[in-house]
Amino acid sequence: MAKQNNDCWRRIETVLKDVNMSTNYLAKHIGLLRGENLYQIKRGNNKISIDVARRINQKFPEYSIPWLMFGIDDVDGIPGVMRVPYYNSVWSIDCPMKKRPERELVVSEMVANGAQVAAYFEGNDTMSEKYLQHTILFLRQITVDSIIFGRIYYVISSRIRLLCIVGEGSASDCLCLHDINSDSVKVEIQCDEIRAIWDLCGVYKHFDNR
């Protein structure tokens, strides 16, 4: 029977309810060998360890490590944890930024993978990279010289904003952009037209087993 005032378990219960999982299923989903790790928290014998918190945060970044462990969102002094500005739409990202982020995601450095911003991307049913539908994208700004052909980038110029696969252009000073929302849309752009380019350094998709 769970001990009284078990705030740690109440936070685990919040996660279980939000992601629609059983205790054993959550344990398996985050890579724990046994559900007993979570049941010990339920019984009040254990607190939420940094390992369990990181595992949950890596699968569900909306639950920060400080909140899971302590019920707070203060990351100061916690190693391996950082804040990433979050925008409700990837199209809100600009250079320079003209809009304040809607909030911050508190995530592990492993999840952020060097990201400077995070943003929601809806996508559509005709897009080529369907795994990117309804995801949070983690992005970092790079220079044109750092582009690796065949990777996905968010490219901003005075005339376009595209989440696209970047390829070689018809000339050395051009790039070919393949819009991931539509296989038929390809745009050639001169490198000096690009105002900003953001590398896709991570993707988070909320697990839903309904």
Side-chain angles (χ1 to χ4, degrees):
M1 189 173 182
K3 294 180 181 178
Q4 292 183 342
N5 301 321
N6 191 341
D7 291 336
C8 287
W9 179 248
R10 277 196 283 273
R11 292 193 291 276
I12 294 293
E13 279 189 315
T14 297
V15 176
L16 292 172
K17 181 178 178 182
D18 289 349
V19 303
N20 193 25
M21 288 183 177
S22 67
T23 303
N24 285 330
Y25 200 103
L26 176 64
K28 181 179 179 181
H29 186 64
I30 64 175
L32 294 175
L33 295 178
R34 300 183 303 156
E36 182 62 22
N37 299 69
L38 299 184
Y39 284 113
Q40 287 293 337
I41 297 171
K42 183 176 183 178
R43 297 184 189 107
N45 296 328
N46 293 340
K47 301 291 187 181
I48 299 174
S49 68
I50 183 65
D51 177 63
V52 169
R54 281 177 173 162
R55 287 172 182 270
I56 293 173
N57 174 257
Q58 285 167 13
K59 294 293 185 180
F60 308 105
E62 64 265 45
Y63 305 107
S64 72
I65 291 174
W67 180 81
L68 288 164
M69 294 183 68
F70 311 113
I72 60 174
D73 274 328
D74 185 1
V75 301
D76 294 339
I78 300 179
V81 181
M82 63 182 292
R83 297 181 187 270
V84 179
Y86 174 78
Y87 294 83
N88 288 337
S89 171
V90 70
W91 313 120
S92 299
I93 295 175
D94 207 337
C95 185
M97 291 293 193
K98 298 176 182 177
K99 184 179 178 183
R100 293 178 62 86
E102 276 74 22
R103 59 191 178 96
E104 291 180 321
L105 295 182
V106 180
V107 298
S108 69
E109 291 177 351
M110 183 181 299
V111 169
N113 193 28
Q116 297 165 307
V117 296
Y120 178 73
F121 177 66
E122 184 173 6
N124 59 54
D125 292 335
T126 64
M127 63 188 295
S128 58
E129 309 295 321
K130 293 191 184 301
Y131 73 95
L132 290 177
Q133 280 185 288
H134 309 295
T135 56
I136 295 174
L137 308 180
F138 290 89
L139 303 163
R140 61 172 166 245
Q141 192 171 2
I142 64 168
T143 62
V144 173
D145 293 341
S146 302
I147 290 172
I148 299 173
F149 293 145
R151 285 178 58 92
I152 296 174
Y153 299 94
Y154 174 43
V155 179
I156 303 173
S157 77
S158 58
R159 60 188 176 95
I160 62 166
R161 289 169 182 262
L162 281 181
L163 191 65
C164 55
I165 298 172
V166 176
E168 195 170 0
S170 59
S172 60
D173 61 345
C174 294
L175 297 173
C176 185
L177 311 181
H178 303 254
D179 186 357
I180 67 168
N181 272 322
S182 174
D183 288 336
S184 62
V185 177
K186 295 181 182 179
V187 178
E188 186 152 293
I189 187 172
Q190 289 190 322
C191 293
D192 58 11
E193 286 185 66
I194 296 175
R195 196 165 77 235
I197 185 162
W198 298 81
D199 181 32
L200 180 62
C201 52
V203 176
Y204 162 68
K205 187 161 188 171
H206 195 289
F207 184 86
D208 190 345
N209 66 338
R210 289 173 294 179

